[in-house]
Amino acid sequence: MKAHYLGHVVFYVKDLQRSLAFYRDLLGFQEVGRIFNGAAAALTSGRTHHELLLIQVGDAPAPPQGRRRGLYHIGIKVGDSLDELRAAKQELEAAGVVIDGMSDHTVSQSLYLRDPDGNEVEVYVDADEALWKNNPAAVVSPIKPLSL
């Protein structure tokens, strides 16, 4: 077997409408449908049928923060240039989203933030793909600070 690509992520969320305001209305995913009597929504960026499924669970316990086993964060590509990342940063901050960090990973440049349920989300742009195609080890280059 050979994996083709990571197809989708499913999040349990406290409040579906609040999460849709973040992923659909702010980050720009398109809602493609609801299931579970409207308690879950499938979203797509247009790349495939859905990349994200949000399932409302109400006041279920939140996962612990900090180092733990399990999901660390998801990455969402928001463009191809630092200008697009700057624009995304301005839009996020205008919406009241706190940027927890910014990093230059050589192969990509990233902003780190939290969704309404505390899940870490990386919004990023890729650098020129020749960097990692010519040198696949570039993906593990030392992380540098990013200033936008």
Side-chain angles (χ1 to χ4, degrees), residues 2 13 58 74 76 79 81 104 113 118 130 136 148:
K2 177 171 183 339
V13 301
I74 64 168
I76 299 171
S81 71
D104 180 345
L113 48 124
L148 292 178

Side-chain angles (χ1 to χ4, degrees), residues 103-110 112 122 138-144:
S103 298
D104 180 345
H105 298 282
T106 302
V107 298
S108 63
Q109 290 75 40
S110 306
Y112 294 90
E122 173 186 5
V139 74
V140 292
S141 296
I143 299 169
K144 300 174 284 297

Side-chain angles (χ1 to χ4, degrees), residues 11-16 18-19 39 55-62 117:
F11 277 134
Y12 289 128
V13 301
K14 179 177 181 175
D15 181 303
L16 183 60
R18 184 178 70 168
S19 292
I55 303 172
Q56 181 171 288
V57 295
D59 286 321
D117 290 290

Side-chain angles (χ1 to χ4, degrees), residues 81-97:
S81 71
L82 283 177
D83 285 340
E84 288 170 295
L85 191 61
R86 264 186 215 91
K89 180 178 183 284
Q90 290 171 349
E91 191 173 339
L92 290 162
E93 289 174 334
V97 175

Side-chain angles (χ1 to χ4, degrees), residues 106-143:
T106 302
V107 298
S108 63
Q109 290 75 40
S110 306
L111 306 175
Y112 294 90
L113 48 124
R114 302 247 170 219
D115 77 0
D117 290 290
N119 298 303
E120 186 171 299
V121 176
E122 173 186 5
V123 237
Y124 71 93
V125 296
D126 281 330
D128 182 351
E129 69 179 26
L131 287 169
W132 58 268
K133 283 192 172 182
N134 293 334
N135 178 16
V139 74
V140 292
S141 296
I143 299 169

